[in-house]
Amino acid sequence: MAVLPLGLLAPGQGGLIKDIIGGRHVRCRLTELGFIPGAKVRVWQNQPWGPLIVSLGDGRVAIGRGVAQKILVEETR
Amino acid sequence: MAKPASRVEMPAQVVIALAGNPNVGKTCIFNNLTGAHQHVGNWPGVTVEKKEGRFAYSGETVRVVDLPGIYGLGAYAEDERVARDYLLSGEAGVVINIVDATNLERNLYLTVQLLEMGANVVVALNVMDEAEARGIKIDTDKLGRLLGVPVIPTVAPKKQGMAELVAAAMQKARTPGAPVRITYGREVEEELAKLETLVAGYPALSGRFPPRWLAVKVLEGDEHVLREIEGFAGIAAQQRESSARLEAVTGQDAESLIVDGRYGFIAGILKETVSRRKTPEERITLSDRIDRIVTHRVLGIPIFLAAMWAVFQFTFTLGDPLIGYVETFFEWLGGLAGARIANELLASLVVDGIIGGVGSVLVFIPPIFLLFLAISFLEDSGYMARAAYIMDRLMHALGLHGKSFIPLLIGFGCNVPAVMATRTLENKRDRIITLLITPFMSCAARLPVYVLFVGAFFAQRQGLVIFSLYLLGIVIAILMGMLLKALFFKGEQAPFVMELPPYRLPTIRGTLIHMWERGYSFIRKAGTIIFGVVVLVWLLSNIPWGAPIEQSVIGRLGQFMAPIYAPCGFGTWEAAVALFFGILAKEVVVGTLGVVYGVGEEGLTAAVTQHFTPLSAYAFMAMTLLYIPCVAVIGAIKRETDWKWTGFAVAYTLVLGWVVAFLIYRCGKLLGLG
């Protein structure tokens, strides 16, 4: 399966986080919220230009498009 | 908590710190524990809000310190640093870590960091009812054994588990147990051991920080900790050496290895203690269903505007009759005082100065409290986070992200906490832009001015005209945000990552406490600054005693300044004086007008109609909205930035206010409106 930025998944699609690229600051923030390699995410909303809503476990997180491009995922379904 | 023996004195009282992620019911537990015995202040040196309370436990007074809601103990966000420094100070004998049972994995990440720091932890496993409803089963005893700390199941809004929680915390305060140790695998442990030995060799470090924790943080490359160890020879070199070795051996950087270690430890615990019926990402919750509508691409913004409209309708429809009652009360009080005081000078001071001035401001307590009530409700229900999400796209135009929208929204209540709320923005550029445009949000203190003028001139369309002023502030904020970005801050943007908590019906008690905290600060301001100002205004307007008001000190001052405002349509000395004193607090504009026109608040509407036209009144309201923020806000901006930005904020808002008032008046004239 191809690895692609989370921002490219369509609503309803899920992914397995493979890597987080970007600076320490972004990574630290994402790590605390549970965005770590191996975690499963699912996109709930993904509109052109705007931020996304993704689910991580039971939690729902809004992330900006810029951040979503830094989370690399493997599409699961 | 590791600290030098000399500093450990017999604790006079037990201090409990509350720590937890945002939106886990921490505030609710704090309210349950402390009831009305609360005190809101600031953490020393920073403007992160510090809440303290106390309760009695079998004859002892126990102090409770509410730490900011945090996801971890990293060095990047101000509130995490505040929490960390407080925990390291060792003041708290025990830490109640509130954990959301429906989102254990992420919540335990903070727990693990607390344990690593050597904090004496009791876990409150909150939101247990929701976890059960979702089919999540948690073996709390086993969880406690694996974490090495007591775990108490709680349902905060129903006050379930509170007695057990307090008992466990008090027990833990007296007999702290040995915490579990999170191990990171052989390679990492070897490097940690080297660092720990080095750290332990410097009493100046090991006295302030637990050596093991410091070693982990150094290896993790925590910027704040790296600065702390700068002066200590060998540690930084060892850190570089260890990181390089780990990277060579494992192919991963040290930071990732430590994060993996923590999450690995958590995963191990969850596997043994949690079972669930359904995998989480397949569940569609009620919150998700609501979000589909509320955060909808097309519907989101209209729904948001409708919510704001409802807030204003609620505030004014309910507030108006209440204003009448308060007015009547002060009229009655003024009449009573006037009749009892024989001395003419004293009677004037009490009736016109104090009762008239303070009264004309306090009549606005009903709408201000109602507005705070509505804002607190939106915040506590979880809608505020959605508003930030919806506005993210718009905020991008200003080079900000959705999170900056929350301070702006709080600004509608009061600009001071709004400026303070910019602390949650991680990057300095975002903070400065946000706090420079926050003062354009029509705070509750502008309301008295709007209500007075709108009541006098636009009685038929009160809601609409007031709404237009709020909108004017927003539009100006957007334009200024874009301008500031283009002028001073080109380039990168901070990451936008924000949890969307599930919608919850706020508890009445929680919302009321929230409202009271904010409303009380307004009353306190009315009791101190505003009181002082109205007495000063009365004094200045009565020197020399007996002279007509336009020949008094204040009259001369106003006459001197009035020509500056003449092009904007309100070049009267009374207006000039009101604006001058309005810098102390915007609501003082009303109080000052009341005093300089020599009428109480009951006669103010009539007095205003004689001195303004509808057009000049609108220009005056725009000026009141935009020109120089009040002293409290200036002070808050100074605390967040430096004198340079503070001076800039004062100067540019003054010029902007004048220009906008001028444009409104002149364009209105051209259109034949006045």
Side-chain angles (χ1 to χ4, degrees):
Chain A
M1 273 301 222
V3 171
L4 73 171
L6 180 60
L8 294 183
L9 293 187
Q13 278 188 303
L16 195 68
I17 299 180
K18 300 304 275 185
D19 199 4
I20 289 165
I21 52 178
R24 300 187 68 87
H25 190 169
V26 181
R27 269 188 295 156
C28 178
R29 216 66 211 148
L30 289 172
T31 299
E32 286 177 354
L33 278 152
F35 288 92
I36 45 163
K40 278 190 223 159
V41 288
R42 184 171 295 280
V43 174
W44 287 80
Q45 278 201 28
N46 188 356
Q47 304 157 1
W49 315 300
L52 292 81
I53 297 180
V54 301
S55 67
L56 187 72
D58 271 312
R60 305 287 179 262
V61 185
I63 52 175
R65 185 146 298 273
V67 184
Q69 295 306 111
K70 292 185 173 122
I71 303 173
L72 301 182
V73 296
E74 191 183 88
E75 198 185 316
T76 50
R77 206 164 7 116
Chain B
M1 193 71 49
K3 48 189 284 186
S6 61
R7 274 174 59 200
V8 181
E9 287 148 28
M10 271 309 286
Q13 75 183 157
V14 175
V15 179
I16 299 177
L18 299 187
N21 288 182
N23 313 310
V24 296
K26 193 161 64 68
T27 305
C28 189
I29 289 193
F30 179 75
N31 290 342
N32 284 351
L33 292 180
T34 62
H37 307 283
Q38 298 188 4
H39 168 77
V40 183
N42 280 332
W43 292 93
V46 297
T47 42
V48 177
E49 200 172 74
K50 180 183 189 182
K51 277 207 284 190
E52 272 196 48
R54 51 194 77 235
F55 66 89
Y57 183 78
S58 55
E60 273 185 80
T61 306
V62 179
R63 199 148 71 87
V64 186
V65 175
D66 190 16
L67 297 177
I70 47 175
Y71 293 106
L73 294 167
Y76 295 104
E78 189 81 21
D79 42 6
E80 296 193 354
R81 229 157 29 226
V82 164
R84 176 155 108 183
D85 290 347
Y86 179 75
L87 291 170
L88 284 170
S89 79
E91 188 188 76
V94 58
V95 178
I96 295 183
N97 175 207
I98 295 123
V99 163
D100 182 341
T102 64
N103 204 338
L104 262 187
E105 186 179 28
R106 193 199 67 210
N107 276 256
L108 288 180
Y109 191 70
L110 176 64
T111 312
V112 164
Q113 292 193 52
L114 290 171
L115 293 174
E116 258 185 334
M117 197 181 238
N120 191 24
V121 173
V122 172
V123 168
L125 194 58
N126 200 26
V127 207
M128 274 306 270
D129 49 348
E130 228 168 280
E132 272 161 34
R134 292 194 197 176
I136 304 172
K137 273 217 174 88
I138 303 169
D139 183 343
T140 49
D141 291 338
K142 199 165 185 187
L143 182 62
R145 273 204 308 284
L146 292 173
L147 287 170
V149 298
V151 173
I152 314 295
T154 59
V155 182
K158 292 176 190 152
K159 299 192 181 177
Q160 279 171 25
M162 291 301 125
E164 293 87 339
L165 184 62
V166 169
M170 296 308 286
Q171 167 77 22
K172 196 85 192 325
R174 287 191 196 96
T175 52
V180 293
R181 187 183 167 110
I182 292 97
T183 52
Y184 291 96
R186 195 171 53 84
E187 288 90 1
V188 178
E189 285 298 331
E190 275 169 15
E191 304 308 321
L192 282 177
K194 289 179 206 162
L195 282 165
E196 197 177 337
T197 317
L198 267 175
V199 169
Y202 293 108
L205 279 180
S206 56
R208 283 172 59 212
F209 308 104
R212 162 85 183 177
W213 176 79
L214 200 65
V216 173
K217 284 311 218 185
V218 167
L219 194 59
E220 213 181 343
D222 183 298
E223 278 174 17
H224 199 59
V225 165
L226 288 183
R227 272 198 295 279
E228 292 280 354
I229 56 133
E230 255 167 21
F232 300 92
I235 302 182
Q238 180 63 50
Q239 185 245 345
R240 283 191 293 274
E241 195 194 312
S242 295
S243 304
R245 177 169 313 168
L246 285 172
E247 188 135 14
V249 176
T250 65
Q252 275 186 288
D253 60 279
E255 188 195 1
S256 308
L257 287 169
I258 287 174
V259 169
D260 285 353
R262 290 194 191 119
Y263 273 111
F265 175 78
I266 294 166
I269 289 179
L270 292 182
K271 212 167 146 191
E272 291 198 43
T273 54
V274 180
S275 62
R276 54 193 309 158
R277 281 201 305 262
K278 236 180 174 186
T279 51
E281 71 263 33
E282 278 157 19
R283 282 185 43 85
I284 297 174
T285 60
L286 180 62
S287 278
D288 293 326
R289 287 179 218 279
I290 298 174
D291 271 343
R292 276 194 191 152
I293 301 162
V294 164
T295 64
H296 187 272
R297 186 156 59 102
V298 181
L299 297 176
I301 288 179
I303 290 176
F304 168 72
L305 289 177
M308 290 297 108
W309 175 257
V311 165
F312 295 124
Q313 286 302 320
F314 169 78
T315 304
F316 299 114
T317 317
L318 273 179
D320 266 357
L322 294 173
I323 289 179
Y325 295 133
V326 181
E327 264 174 359
T328 316
F329 171 75
F330 277 102
E331 274 164 36
W332 171 79
L333 202 66
L336 199 72
R340 296 287 160 88
I341 302 169
N343 185 308
E344 195 194 340
L345 184 64
L346 197 62
S348 167
L349 171 66
V350 172
V351 177
D352 303 331
I354 299 172
I355 297 179
V358 175
S360 56
V361 174
L362 288 188
V363 288
F364 299 103
I365 281 184
I368 284 167
F369 269 70
L370 289 169
L371 183 68
F372 280 130
L373 181 69
I375 288 178
S376 300
F377 180 84
L378 287 183
E379 258 190 342
D380 295 350
S381 69
Y383 182 72
M384 218 52 132
R386 273 73 183 183
Y389 169 79
I390 294 163
M391 299 312 282
D392 186 64
R393 220 180 323 173
L394 186 69
M395 299 301 285
H396 261 83
L398 327 187
L400 298 171
H401 58 55
K403 245 180 166 176
S404 290
F405 192 69
I406 293 177
L408 296 181
L409 255 187
I410 295 174
F412 287 125
C414 176
N415 292 171
V416 176
V419 168
M420 281 158 59
T422 59
R423 280 275 156 162
T424 57
L425 306 173
E426 290 117 44
N427 133 338
K428 194 180 174 199
R429 187 192 87 112
D430 289 6
R431 277 216 296 269
I432 290 180
I433 297 182
T434 309
L435 62 82
L436 285 177
I437 62 175
T438 294
F440 300 135
M441 298 298 112
S442 288
C443 68
R446 264 87 155 200
L447 254 186
V449 186
Y450 298 167
V451 171
L452 170 67
F453 283 91
V454 168
F457 293 100
F458 308 99
Q460 307 307 314
R461 300 199 170 154
Q462 293 207 16
L464 193 71
V465 174
I466 291 180
F467 193 68
S468 77
L469 284 156
Y470 278 81
L471 215 57
L472 175 71
I474 296 169
V475 170
I476 295 284
I478 292 173
L479 293 177
M480 285 301 117
M482 286 159 99
L483 192 68
L484 288 168
K485 181 195 163 199
L487 286 180
F488 302 113
F489 306 97
K490 291 178 196 125
E492 39 71 71
Q493 262 168 325
F496 174 51
V497 185
M498 193 186 57
E499 198 195 356
L500 297 177
Y503 290 101
R504 292 203 175 108
L505 193 63
T507 62
I508 295 170
R509 200 172 114 95
T511 309
L512 287 177
I513 289 178
H514 211 153
M515 172 199 82
W516 173 252
E517 278 168 3
R518 291 176 168 164
Y520 180 67
S521 68
F522 175 81
I523 297 184
R524 209 170 41 191
K525 214 163 83 178
T528 52
I529 299 179
I530 300 170
F531 180 81
V533 172
V534 293
V535 171
L536 183 68
V537 175
W538 178 85
L539 209 65
L540 292 181
S541 60
N542 280 287
I543 297 174
W545 175 244
I549 195 151
E550 52 269 38
Q551 280 162 36
S552 67
V553 176
I554 204 167
R556 286 167 200 283
L557 194 69
Q559 277 152 14
F560 175 73
M561 292 193 296
I564 304 171
Y565 298 122
C568 309
F570 43 85
T572 63
W573 66 271
E574 293 97 334
V577 166
L579 286 175
F580 179 74
F581 284 100
I583 298 169
L584 290 155
K586 299 259 168 152
E587 60 273 43
V588 169
V589 168
V590 174
T592 309
L593 286 176
V595 175
V596 292
Y597 289 141
V599 292
E601 73 274 5
E602 71 275 21
L604 201 47
T605 306
V608 160
T609 36
Q610 285 166 19
H611 292 81
F612 288 84
T613 66
L615 184 61
S616 70
Y618 197 86
F620 184 77
M621 287 192 286
M623 180 71 182
T624 308
L625 160 63
L626 300 174
Y627 88 113
I628 308 180
C630 74
V631 276
V633 174
I634 296 173
I637 293 177
K638 165 66 185 65
R639 274 197 306 249
E640 301 300 323
T641 58
D642 48 33
W643 279 118
K644 197 187 85 189
W645 283 115
T646 312
F648 176 76
V650 170
Y652 103 102
T653 51
L654 179 61
V655 173
L656 187 73
W658 190 90
V659 169
V660 172
F662 175 81
L663 288 177
I664 289 173
Y665 188 67
R666 290 294 144 189
C667 292
K669 275 276 191 210
L670 285 178
L671 295 170
L673 293 176

